[in-house]
Amino acid sequence: MALRLRKSLKPTAIYPKWSQQLNIIGWGACALLILISNTISSEEVRGVIGALCLAGVLYYLYKEPDFKPFSILLKAHIPLVIVAIIVELTYLISDNFYDKYDDFFQSAYFGAFAFIFIRLSASKKQQAELLKVRERKDELELLVAQRTTEITKQRNELQETVKELQATQAQLIQQEKLASLGELTAGIAHEIQNPLNFVNNFSEVSMELIEEMEEEMAKGDLEEATAIANDIKQNLEKIRHHGKRADGIVKGMLQHSRASSNVKEPTNLNTIADEYFRLAYHGLRAKDKSFNADLVTNFDPDLPSINIVSQDVGRVLLNMFTNAFYAVHQKQKTIGGDFKPKVEVSTRTIKTPKGSDVEIIVKDNGSGIPDAIKDKIMQPFFTTKPAGEGTGLGLSLSYDIIVKAHKGHININSKEGEGSEFIVTLPVA
């Protein structure tokens, strides 16, 4: 049995652990049998001792987890142990009874040995199957190891790809901001000219009035000099007004171009909506002087100030105004002179169960949005504009700013061929 177990363990990883121990068990058993033969004269007592030794070895091996696969071989020897103990004890107790049933006892021995050989044959088949399973297991472990290596490599490659995509996305977002800054700059170049013209004109008129006032004072006509001084004062008020207007435009451009501070401050939406509305219009006119459109504003004069990052919300409004003017401009190119472009911006306060919200509605009579793509226009990099005219990030960034950063909503009402309406909702609190 020990030799059989040792041979069966050879292909396994536990062979070095049990090889020496099984040798000790095998040769130790032989030595014990020789010792018993020399010291004990009774054959029956030697048989009982031998059976008990075998039982002890079986119990020891059966407890070891390493021999669980060989349980059939171990259990095959149990009938021999039982038969040997019963037969030898029977002889010791009553040799007459033993002689009477000697054939039966010999048959029991024969049956026990036959059972061992039958189970040994089954064990060989089992070992062969276990060997195949073990080989298959080794193959699968090798395949799993190879696949794990491949997956790890692919994961690392994907991580690198994700990093590259994130870097590319950051660059594209920056390009989108620069594109909106370009639109803003074109509008500012046109828009800032008006207050500067007023400043220059009123400055020239004021210089002439000062000369007249000096002449009247020289004549001693203080009444006329006082009237001229009042005119100069009015001119200076107008200069100051238009100077602040130009200053506000420049500050708006600088605020739009720098990185967001993410600091929310009380802001009047009417002011920034009106500012960006006209700047977006003049930005498109700077590219195409033939473009004209009706600009309609319906601002709620009682609109409350709300806490927002005005720079970010300004980007959203500029993007929506630019898209609206682009849509009506494209429709004008398609239809021709009979079509009159119109873009309307409105603000209002609406009551909600939690308090009140502010709505900004941007409406145009352009080409509208087809139903098939309404659900896609907020997705990053999706654009209906020709290649080179849009990054597809404008509305995606607008969604992030309004919905994620300001807990607001963006709703779209559009009918293909008739126009679109974007409704931006922001909470007052």
Side-chain angles (χ1 to χ4, degrees):
M1 181 188 70
L3 292 175
R4 175 62 188 168
L5 287 173
R6 189 169 178 273
K7 184 178 179 182
S8 300
L9 287 176
K10 270 192 175 181
T12 68
I14 62 174
Y15 176 75
K17 173 183 176 182
W18 286 100
S19 175
Q20 186 175 359
Q21 294 189 46
L22 290 173
N23 271 335
I24 293 172
I25 290 172
W27 292 111
C30 292
L32 180 63
L33 289 175
I34 295 171
L35 179 63
I36 291 173
S37 299
N38 293 331
T39 56
I40 300 174
S41 58
S42 174
E43 184 180 348
E44 290 74 20
V45 174
R46 294 199 300 267
V48 172
I49 294 173
L52 292 174
C53 290
L54 178 59
V57 171
L58 292 174
Y59 178 72
Y60 170 72
L61 295 177
Y62 191 76
K63 285 194 308 177
E64 293 294 331
D66 291 339
F67 290 97
K68 291 295 181 185
F70 306 97
S71 59
I72 292 178
L73 178 61
L74 297 175
K75 290 179 180 179
H77 293 76
I78 294 176
L80 178 61
V81 173
I82 296 172
V83 168
I85 293 174
I86 292 175
V87 171
E88 302 306 332
L89 287 176
T90 300
Y91 185 85
L92 289 172
I93 295 171
S94 174
D95 54 348
N96 292 330
F97 180 81
Y98 177 85
D99 292 337
K100 183 179 179 179
Y101 296 99
D102 180 60
D103 293 339
F104 173 78
F105 290 128
Q106 295 303 320
S107 297
Y109 263 120
F110 177 78
F113 279 106
F115 183 76
I116 290 175
F117 286 112
I118 292 171
R119 298 297 286 175
L120 184 61
S121 177
S123 175
K124 287 181 179 179
K125 293 181 180 179
Q126 184 188 48
Q127 292 305 313
E129 292 175 358
L130 286 173
L131 183 60
K132 291 180 180 178
V133 170
R134 197 176 293 115
E135 291 174 352
R136 182 58 180 163
K137 177 186 173 185
D138 293 340
E139 290 177 4
L140 290 175
E141 286 179 349
L142 180 61
L143 289 174
V144 169
Q146 292 175 347
R147 186 59 181 160
T148 302
T149 303
E150 292 176 4
I151 291 173
T152 302
K153 182 180 178 182
Q154 291 174 359
R155 183 194 65 186
N156 294 336
E157 290 175 353
L158 285 173
Q159 287 177 343
E160 291 298 321
T161 303
V162 168
K163 289 180 182 178
E164 292 176 3
L165 287 173
Q166 289 174 341
T168 303
Q169 185 182 35
Q171 292 175 356
L172 288 172
I173 289 173
Q174 187 62 30
Q175 288 178 8
E176 175 64 27
K177 291 179 179 179
L178 291 174
S180 66
L181 180 61
E183 298 284 349
L184 184 66
T185 305
I188 286 172
H190 184 281
E191 185 70 10
I192 205 172
Q193 192 65 43
N194 289 331
L196 288 178
N197 286 338
F198 277 110
V199 169
N200 293 332
N201 292 337
F202 282 115
S203 296
E204 292 176 3
V205 171
S206 296
M207 290 293 293
E208 294 174 0
L209 289 174
I210 288 174
E211 291 176 0
E212 292 180 12
M213 184 178 68
E214 289 175 345
E215 291 176 0
E216 295 299 330
M217 290 178 68
K219 295 177 183 178
D221 191 348
L222 294 179
E223 183 177 352
E224 184 64 23
T226 302
I228 294 174
N230 289 332
D231 291 340
I232 294 173
K233 183 178 180 181
Q234 291 177 5
N235 286 351
L236 291 175
E237 285 292 333
K238 292 177 181 179
I239 290 172
R240 184 171 67 89
H241 170 74
H242 290 289
K244 286 185 176 181
R245 169 80 183 121
D247 180 64
I249 293 171
V250 173
K251 284 181 178 178
M253 181 185 70
L254 294 174
Q255 185 183 40
H256 186 87
S257 62
R258 67 170 178 257
S260 174
S261 62
N262 293 323
V263 177
K264 294 181 180 180
E265 298 176 342
T267 305
N268 188 322
L269 280 179
N270 286 342
T271 301
I272 62 173
D274 183 56
E275 186 83 23
Y276 284 106
F277 189 43
R278 284 180 287 102
L279 290 176
Y281 173 65
H282 291 302
L284 185 56
R285 274 185 51 79
K287 296 179 181 179
D288 186 353
K289 298 294 184 183
S290 65
F291 173 69
N292 285 290
D294 289 338
L295 277 61
V296 181
T297 57
N298 295 306
F299 295 132
D300 181 357
D302 299 321
L303 198 72
S305 295
I306 62 173
N307 283 326
I308 59 172
V309 182
S310 58
Q311 177 185 356
D312 290 345
V313 175
R315 283 199 178 102
V316 173
L317 295 178
L318 180 63
N319 177 262
M320 291 187 175
F321 294 147
T322 302
N323 287 345
F325 286 122
Y326 179 85
V328 297
H329 188 35
Q330 294 301 113
K331 187 174 181 179
Q332 185 184 45
K333 289 180 179 179
T334 304
I335 296 177
D338 295 335
F339 172 69
K340 184 62 177 176
K342 178 181 177 183
V343 179
E344 180 180 351
V345 57
S346 307
T347 59
R348 65 179 181 180
T349 306
I350 58 172
K351 298 297 180 183
T352 65
K354 295 182 180 180
S356 59
D357 291 344
V358 168
E359 280 189 351
I360 308 171
I361 302 100
V362 181
K363 187 177 181 180
D364 65 72
N365 62 343
S367 305
I369 303 170
D371 293 335
I373 64 171
K374 278 184 181 178
D375 296 334
K376 300 179 181 179
I377 61 173
M378 292 291 181
Q379 295 177 4
F381 310 112
F382 180 84
T383 180
T384 58
K385 295 177 181 177
E389 292 191 24
T391 62
L393 285 172
L395 287 175
S396 173
L397 291 175
S398 298
Y399 181 87
D400 289 343
I401 291 170
I402 298 299
V403 178
K404 296 181 180 179
H406 289 81
K407 310 302 179 185
H409 304 282
I410 298 179
N411 296 318
I412 304 170
N413 299 321
S414 182
K415 192 170 183 180
E416 190 172 4
E418 295 185 11
S420 303
E421 182 182 62
F422 283 77
I423 304 172
V424 177
T425 306
L426 292 167
V428 172

